[in-house]
């Protein structure tokens, strides 16, 4: 897995969705006519990148080398620029455009790509190239697009020793052996990939900030950080740093990191001033505090609001923000204790603080109350918090979803989260509307997600996992895009416009999350993985642990009673009617049944099957589905280059092998516990 | 645990059983009269060490500085020497003495310590000092002692990076950061500890020989190995090296390590010659081959006899031996497969080769067929092999017996192994007689054990674990010593001759194995530990793994059917009547019941209890017993120096906490599986 590649760029998969594959059809001919000249209005570093990208894209897709003119748009050509007035764009359209948005429109027989900002122009350029590559006619390009929210961020969990926490695609592209990697080519290519889907922020180091990474905010390492910031900036991306809350002690030699201590406050103010002297547009700090043994304000008897606001005050003069993670819970719980519920933790920690955070603090909230399981309910902090900036945290890296050995297209999962109706302010109070600031006013809002890339030649280990990075960017730009649209786009850009290729790969992608769920952990209970590395099945792996992650299976049944009436009360953290829905075993969505209820194996589901039979059936089905992925993929032989065809096939084989292991372990576990045989008499061990 | 100590020698526990504590009583007075002069007959490096030890011991115990005279024994003094004839020892006694043996006798009002070899004199000296320290009168010293077997060895699993595989007392005293540690004080003190209990061989590196350790047999590292050999030699201990079977490839650049390949044979002959030019008395090579991913002759379709004999031929000219481990099994087993049984593996691999090994090959056989569990039957290779040199491998390091956080005095376990009657050649065919060469003639025989020491200030992490190292040496010198005698000696030497101290600590030690068994894995089934590190309970931890270690628990019962009639046939690998005893559920010793049989929870044991109730009861009892250890230890307050008192107390507290975890996890697991409540209504989760 972690073998570094000699020259990754030689691999086909390295280009991802920006390969700019030659098109030779009537549509291509029409673009050729228009795109032989590019008229550029305005100049800046980011505009330069847009022009470079156009040259690259047109060269690749159309095989032409366009002439670049700097001047007015009054030509029949491809024109791009920021000077909206000179571009003769109707007022209505100009008004509809937000800062990062873009407009693409036909004008004088040419095509205009415009934005109010250079970033907008860059996004428009990538969007235009995408349209061309996916085979859209020039007639259908006209559109205005604005991103759904201001923060569209990637979090790296990279350590300076080069390892990546929960990384499944090799080592860091930023760090090696506690140094910065001097060759920045990969970083540049990565920034381009991110910008192409509208990402505008990246935190480069693990939220678990160890000794060496603590020093990223020192004069010794800041010049190196600044070099990375320069690269990302040229693609419109702001760099963020994860910081160690006890830096005043570790770096400053102070005896405390108490946020209410004047010397600590002064230290951070001076530190911010120093950091911004190197990187004037640093996005800000990302903080994991008081979680999983990380230091934080609790050490000093302070609240997280006090802790975050102190940092926010230090960053305020420089326009920086503090992104504060809500992943706070007791990771030394006693498994015997059935009253304490980790699911309640983030809600109970942060709800009392709603309204107490400064306006340059943003809470980063994981999609679910636990930790990126294959299936969880939405965190009740969404719809709970009303007076707090918030962003949704997703996990692109497949920690609990197959670790990029298994295909698991996560967009459908994220769509469910985004479309979840919280009812906090009547209908329409969906998660997507909340984190886009449409329900409650927020100065900062949006999205963050944990990166799935590393220094593997194909970036993501599994080539099909590139679709998750692509899809994340597309989805947070426009949460209304369907999973189908995103899959279709990605396959077209990455492989081919051949309908058979599109259909085959899209089908695999769109089915894959369900399939993964089928052969792993049933009905929302989660956590049946091997401890620590989290790969492969271990039904009791976390059952007697301190991590607050239990299924409570016995000879009669399984599940956690999280009702208000008889359980941990978690169901009551939601607004009506969600609270009532989760509370009632008969109304609770069945895919979350075991998350909210303890259920006997003989309980009949809506399908008429017993719970135990459902477990058996889905596990057999999951393997059959994984086997179908291979069959489908094999049907594409000859339609996809051998290199990528073989690489994906190899992973699909691994997935089948592992899915069988999951099936047999989970089924055997429940058979051995319940004594209830499979109705269909299949082999259980 | 792994904090290296600044100056370990300042700690009381560092001296172990050689502290030479002052005695001031009438017996001491009598020794003082005799020991003011030491007459030494003969001189050698080892004799020098004996004299040094006497000075140190007499200084410590009696507070005297004896005069050293070199000459004849014809004085009323403490005399020691090798020149048996000059010493006027009766012929009968001389004849009774073996090479490493010693004689202690009163002569002319003085005391004579003599041996046929310098090593014998050294052992006699330590034995004499032990007698004095434990309070024996000079009148009762007369004795002749011979070691039970020629090989009395310690295996280190030390890696050159400084780590110790399965080490629970810090890092290596030999290696750090892939270098040899230049300060050899600890090694010297360690050699002295080993010699004091008669150990005469030590392998210094892990049987899993990684890249760096492979190079121990190169010119680059051999001078450093030789420095260690010098130190051990001065205490009569021969050094051994664990080697990598694929060294001809890794070091020699050959394309094969096939033992029947001429270039490979030549390579090893030259390598042996090179190695012995640095260390002329090297004991030989220790080899783990074809086991747990180690290379070996199987790669080339050769037998282990062919593999071992090739090395043996290379070492033969130099008097070296090849110690070849029998720990060979398939560690990539499918847990679904109930026909394959890891317990059969070593027997099935090596029995067909009996008689095929050269006479300087020794098979090293673990006590049980699995891997150092708290309770296993004896390996059927003992009594199986008739024409093969063999040594018994024990594990002093407490991998599966509490990892030196829990007290677990292993001598009683080893006694059971040694006293096991194999019936291979009628009565008296015990394991101890077999490995001492008394049943079948063997050129080389004896014992090896995996070290429990590291660079912790007290050597063994848990001070009471020193007793296992001490006891191992004493037991392999004389397998007829009782556990009680060894415990008594160790407590007297280590702490005090105070009867209360002796009784209290001995009681803890002698009960500790049973106690550990009570709260951990029941009735011989083993393996209910967390994978990899093996600490703490995880009942299913190895149940669905590839390691061949299963309990097969379901809602009805638990245990592995290893009978010939209906199971894996392992029971049939023993001689009658053992085979019949293990085969029959009613005759099988109950402590091994689940090792040999699948048993229903409701099955009545001889006690009248059901199996499930036995599991509950022993687990509750185990915790109560661990709590009693603390109570007993607390009764010694003031009778033991604070430093060691507190250190042991701290570990006993940890043991209680962990024992409760074991109790609750194991009981909850079986309750949740069987649905059968505890008859006594105690809390199970």
């Amino acid at each position: 897995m972690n073998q570094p590649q000699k020259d990754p760029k030689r691999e086909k998969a390295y280009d991802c969705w920006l390969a700019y594959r030659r098109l030779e059809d009537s549509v291509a001919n029409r673009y050729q006519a228009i795109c032989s000249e590019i008229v550029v209005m305005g100049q800046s570093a980011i505009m330069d990148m847009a022009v470079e990208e156009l040259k690259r894209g047109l060269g690749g897709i159309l095989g032409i080398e366009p002439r670049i003119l700097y001047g007015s748009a009054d030509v029949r050509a491809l024109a791009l620029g920021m000077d909206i007035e000179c571009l003769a764009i109707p007022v209505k359209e100009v008004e509809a455009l937000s800062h990062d948005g873009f407009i693409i429109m036909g004008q004088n027989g040419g095509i205009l790509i415009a934005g109010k900002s250079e970033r907008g122009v860059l996004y428009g350029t990538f969007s235009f190239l995408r349209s061309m590559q996916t085979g859209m006619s020039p007639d259908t390009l006209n559109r205005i697009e604005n991103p759904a929210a201001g923060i569209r961020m990637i979090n790296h969990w990279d350590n300076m020793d080069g390892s990546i926490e929960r990384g499944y695609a090799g080592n860091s592209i930023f760090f090696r052996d506690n140094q910065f990697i001097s060759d920045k080519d990969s970083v540049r290519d990565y920034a381009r990939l991110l910008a192409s889907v509208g990402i505008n922020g990246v935190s480069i180091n693990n939220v678990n900030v160890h000794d060496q990474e603590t020093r990223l905010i020192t004069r010794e390492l800041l010049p190196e950080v600044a070099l990375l910031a320069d690269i990302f900036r040229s693609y419109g991306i702001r760099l963020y740093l994860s910081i160690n809350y006890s830096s005043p002690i570790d770096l400053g030699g102070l005896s405390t990191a108490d946020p209410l201590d004047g010397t600590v406050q002064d230290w951070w103010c001076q530190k911010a001033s120093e950091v911004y002297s190197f990187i004037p547009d640093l996005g800000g700090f990302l903080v994991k505090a008081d979680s999983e043994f990380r230091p934080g304000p609790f050490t000093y008897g302070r609240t997280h609001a006090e802790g975050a606001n102190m940092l926010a005050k230090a960053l305020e003069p420089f326009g920086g923000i503090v992104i504060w993670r809500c992943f706070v819970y007791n990771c030394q719980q006693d498994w015997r204790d059935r009253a304490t519920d980790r699911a309640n933790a983030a809600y109970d920690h942060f709800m009392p603080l709603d309204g107490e955070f400064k306006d340059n603090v943003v809470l980063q909230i994981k999609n679910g109350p636990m930790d990126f399981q294959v299936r969880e309910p939405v965190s009740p902090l969404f719809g709970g918090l009303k007076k707090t900036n918030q962003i949704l945290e997703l996990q692109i890296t497949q920690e609990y979803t197959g670790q990029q050995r298994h295909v698991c297209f996560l967009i459908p999962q994220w769509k469910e989260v985004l479309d979840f109706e919280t009812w906090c302010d009547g209908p329409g109070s969906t998660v997507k509307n909340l984190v886009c600031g449409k329900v409650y006013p927020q100065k900062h809002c949006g999205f963050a997600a944990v990166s799935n890339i590393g220094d593997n030649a194909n970036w993501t280990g599994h080539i099909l996992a590139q679709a998750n990075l692509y899809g994340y960017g597309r989805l947070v730009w426009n949460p209304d895009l369907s999973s189908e649209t995103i899959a279709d786009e990605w396959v077209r850009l990455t492989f081919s416009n051949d309908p058979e290729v599109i259909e085959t790969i899209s089908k695999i992608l769109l089915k894959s999350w369900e399939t993964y769920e089928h052969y792993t952990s049933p009905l929302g209970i989660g956590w049946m993985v091997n401890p620590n590395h989290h790969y492969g099945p271990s039904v009791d792996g976390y059952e007697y642990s301190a991590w607050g992650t239990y299924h409570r299976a016995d000879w009669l049944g399984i599940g956690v009673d999280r009702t208000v009436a008889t359980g941990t009360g978690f169901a009551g953290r939601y607004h009506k009617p969600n609270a009532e829905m989760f509370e009632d075993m008969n109304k609770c969505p069945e895919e979350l049944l075991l998350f909210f209820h303890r259920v006997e194996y003989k309980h009949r589901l809506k399908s008429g099957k017993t719970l135990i039979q459902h477990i058996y059936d889905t596990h057999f089905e999951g393997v059959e589905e994984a086997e179908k992925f291979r069959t489908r993929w094999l049907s594409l032989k000859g339609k996809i280059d051998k290199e990528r065809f073989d690489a994906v096939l190899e992973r699909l084989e691994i997935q089948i092998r592992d899915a069988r292991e999951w099936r047999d372990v989970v089924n055997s576990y429940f058979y051995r516990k319940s004594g209830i045989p499979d109705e269909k008499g299949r082999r259980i061990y």
Side-chain angles (χ1 to χ4, degrees), chain A:
Chain A
M1 277 287 286
N2 286 355
Q3 289 295 320
Q5 305 294 326
K6 289 284 158 51
D7 185 2
K9 294 184 197 168
R10 288 215 191 120
E11 290 214 12
K12 194 97 179 171
Y14 183 82
D15 292 326
C16 297
W17 54 87
L18 296 180
Y20 299 134
R21 189 180 61 253
R22 182 70 51 85
L23 291 186
E24 285 168 346
D25 56 13
S26 58
V27 176
N29 293 342
R30 293 192 49 208
Y31 279 111
Q32 273 172 332
I34 301 165
C35 299
S36 59
E37 284 189 345
I38 299 174
V39 181
V40 184
M41 292 154 287
Q43 202 176 7
S44 79
I46 294 177
M47 285 286 283
D48 288 350
M49 287 302 176
V51 174
E52 277 308 302
E53 198 65 34
L54 271 182
K55 286 161 69 180
R56 189 166 181 163
L58 297 174
I61 301 171
L62 305 178
I64 61 174
E65 244 184 273
R67 203 150 59 99
I68 312 295
L69 305 173
Y70 290 86
S72 96
D74 201 15
V75 285
R76 293 174 154 276
L78 181 61
L80 66 168
M82 289 183 291
D83 192 351
I84 300 285
E85 285 176 27
C86 297
L87 295 169
I89 302 172
V91 174
K92 206 182 98 197
E93 270 78 358
V94 173
E95 280 174 354
L97 217 51
S98 73
H99 185 73
D100 276 6
F102 63 82
I103 187 166
I104 301 178
M105 59 188 282
Q107 202 175 52
N108 304 330
I111 296 168
L112 178 70
I113 303 170
K116 281 180 179 163
S117 69
E118 48 181 358
R119 218 147 61 178
V121 175
L122 181 69
Y123 297 146
T125 300
F126 278 113
S127 184
F128 165 74
L129 288 166
R130 192 152 56 227
S131 296
M132 192 190 299
Q133 180 77 83
T134 55
M136 281 177 71
S137 147
D139 305 328
T140 59
L141 293 183
N142 281 11
R143 62 184 183 270
I144 296 171
E145 287 196 23
N146 292 312
I151 299 177
R152 303 181 303 279
M153 189 172 175
I154 294 281
N155 292 172
H156 280 265
W157 287 356
D158 293 25
N159 300 313
M160 286 198 69
D161 65 6
S163 66
I164 302 177
E165 186 166 327
R166 310 307 176 189
Y168 311 107
N171 292 316
S172 175
I173 62 166
F174 305 129
F175 312 114
R176 187 186 301 140
D177 299 335
N178 288 317
Q179 308 276 329
F180 283 74
I181 294 174
S182 56
D183 180 347
K184 305 287 195 229
D185 284 354
S186 295
V187 179
R188 224 167 270 120
D189 292 331
Y190 177 53
R192 196 177 138 244
L193 284 170
L194 294 185
S196 77
V197 289
I199 301 297
N200 67 355
V202 63
S203 61
I204 58 168
N205 64 304
N206 190 355
V207 289
N208 293 316
V209 184
H210 310 295
D211 289 352
Q212 182 66 7
E213 298 80 20
T214 298
R215 297 171 55 242
L216 282 170
I217 54 170
T218 61
R219 289 190 165 272
E220 187 196 344
L221 296 181
L222 279 166
E224 295 270 16
V225 179
L227 290 179
L228 290 182
D230 292 345
I231 293 171
F232 283 114
R233 185 184 303 111
S234 68
Y235 280 101
I237 299 164
R238 290 176 91 174
L239 187 143
Y240 293 73
L241 290 170
S242 298
I243 59 103
N244 176 348
Y245 202 80
S246 66
S247 295
I249 298 167
D250 298 342
L251 298 177
L254 304 187
S255 60
T256 176
D258 180 354
L260 300 197
D261 183 291
T263 58
V264 171
Q265 294 165 356
D266 290 347
W267 188 88
W268 277 113
C269 286
Q270 282 170 34
K271 180 50 71 182
S273 171
E274 187 179 9
V275 171
Y276 277 87
S277 74
F278 286 91
I279 307 150
D281 65 344
L282 185 85
F285 293 156
L286 174 59
V287 190
K288 175 175 180 178
D290 292 316
S291 174
E292 297 176 342
F293 312 111
R294 295 286 86 205
F298 284 171
T299 310
Y300 310 100
R302 311 303 180 190
T303 70
H304 278 213
E306 289 167 328
N309 289 342
M310 180 271 295
L311 289 175
K313 208 169 158 196
L315 299 189
E316 199 168 31
F318 310 99
I321 62 173
V322 172
I323 303 181
W324 192 269
R325 292 177 91 232
C326 292
F327 185 56
V328 177
Y329 69 99
N330 173 17
C331 66
Q332 298 191 283
Q333 192 180 322
D334 189 336
W335 57 269
R336 300 164 188 83
D337 165 17
R338 298 200 180 205
T340 305
D341 184 1
R342 171 169 164 178
N344 290 332
Y347 186 94
D348 294 353
H349 277 302
F350 287 92
M351 276 303 291
L353 304 177
D354 192 25
E356 291 187 16
F357 292 93
K358 281 178 66 72
D359 71 357
N360 64 331
V361 174
V362 182
L363 295 190
Q364 179 166 313
I365 307 165
K366 289 192 179 183
N367 60 278
M370 300 298 277
D371 189 15
F372 300 135
Q373 298 303 293
V374 68
R375 177 81 68 173
E376 289 186 41
V378 162
S379 168
L381 277 173
F382 294 114
L385 296 170
K386 302 187 177 187
K387 293 171 282 182
T388 305
N389 293 320
Q390 56 200 268
I391 59 178
L392 167 66
E393 179 177 338
L394 301 167
Q395 195 184 42
I396 316 177
T397 193
Q398 293 171 231
E399 178 176 0
Y400 295 98
T401 51
Q403 301 197 355
Q404 287 142 250
R405 290 196 189 93
H406 297 206
V407 56
C408 190
F409 185 56
L410 292 166
I411 313 303
Q413 187 199 50
W414 300 338
K415 289 286 293 181
E416 285 200 7
V417 173
L418 292 169
D419 292 341
F420 180 75
E421 176 61 84
T422 71
W423 297 104
C424 65
D425 194 36
S429 310
T430 56
V431 171
K432 76 181 163 196
N433 285 342
L434 279 160
V435 297
C436 292
K438 290 181 183 170
V439 182
Y440 304 116
Q442 297 175 56
K443 189 168 175 193
H444 303 280
C445 59
F447 305 88
V450 186
S451 165
N452 67 343
I453 72 115
D455 68 358
N456 275 6
N458 62 18
W459 296 95
T460 51
H462 201 314
I463 291 171
L464 300 185
Q466 293 177 353
N468 286 326
L469 179 58
Y470 177 83
Y472 169 73
R474 297 290 291 131
L475 196 61
V476 304
W477 179 274
N478 178 8
D480 294 326
L481 286 177
S482 70
S483 298
E484 291 74 14
T485 301
I486 291 172
D488 179 277
E489 275 184 13
W490 180 78
V491 178
R492 287 173 180 270
L493 295 169
T494 305
F495 291 106
S496 168
N497 289 327
D498 177 335
E500 201 187 318
V501 173
I502 296 166
E503 198 200 329
T504 303
I505 302 182
S506 291
K507 260 194 179 167
I508 293 174
L509 291 176
L510 292 166
K511 179 80 177 172
S512 60
W513 174 45
E514 185 189 328
T515 294
Y516 190 82
E517 185 177 29
H518 277 165
Y519 59 73
T520 58
S521 172
L523 302 176
I525 191 68
W527 295 108
M528 296 178 171
V529 293
N530 284 301
N532 306 318
H533 60 68
H534 299 163
Y535 193 74
S538 176
V539 182
D540 274 358
Y542 277 101
E543 186 56 17
Y544 301 96
S545 80
W547 295 93
T549 50
Y550 315 112
H551 55 61
R552 312 293 192 192
D554 65 15
W555 73 103
L556 281 175
I558 179 175
V560 180
D561 184 349
R562 290 193 163 104
T563 64
V564 176
T566 55
T568 69
F570 174 71
R573 264 74 173 172
Y574 292 87
H575 294 280
K576 285 184 190 173
N578 290 337
E580 289 161 354
M581 173 180 74
F582 292 136
E583 180 81 9
D584 184 341
M585 195 189 290
N586 297 308
K587 292 186 192 157
C588 183
E590 275 191 342
E591 68 273 16
L592 289 170
L593 188 63
L594 302 181
F595 191 94
F596 285 101
H597 298 279
R598 173 165 177 77
V599 182
E600 297 207 350
Y601 297 124
K602 294 181 176 171
H603 171 85
R604 295 266 163 205
L605 300 177
K606 285 164 193 153
S607 62
K609 288 180 187 179
T610 60
L611 169 61
I612 190 84
Q613 194 57 39
H614 172 87
I615 292 174
Y616 295 152
D617 286 351
T618 50
H619 283 76
F620 282 105
E621 283 160 25
V623 173
E624 287 158 20
E625 289 156 16
E627 288 165 348
K628 267 186 211 148
F629 291 167
R630 178 179 52 185
T631 310
R632 285 191 191 140
W633 187 259
L634 285 170
S635 76
L636 297 181
K637 190 158 190 176
K639 297 209 161 209
I640 287 177
D641 53 286
K642 188 173 184 318
E643 189 181 299
R644 290 187 296 177
F645 181 83
D646 289 347
V648 170
L649 184 60
E650 191 184 296
R651 300 261 158 162
L652 293 176
E653 303 276 9
I654 293 172
Q655 181 169 5
I656 291 169
R657 186 199 66 196
D658 291 352
R660 289 176 184 153
E661 186 71 9
W662 269 101
R663 174 195 67 194
D664 291 342
V665 170
V666 172
N667 283 348
S668 297
Y669 178 94
F670 285 104
Y671 172 60
R672 292 189 192 179
K673 206 148 206 163
S674 68
I676 303 171
D678 173 36
E679 287 172 3
K680 299 179 187 166
R682 289 162 295 193
R683 187 77 192 268
I684 294 178
Y685 299 86

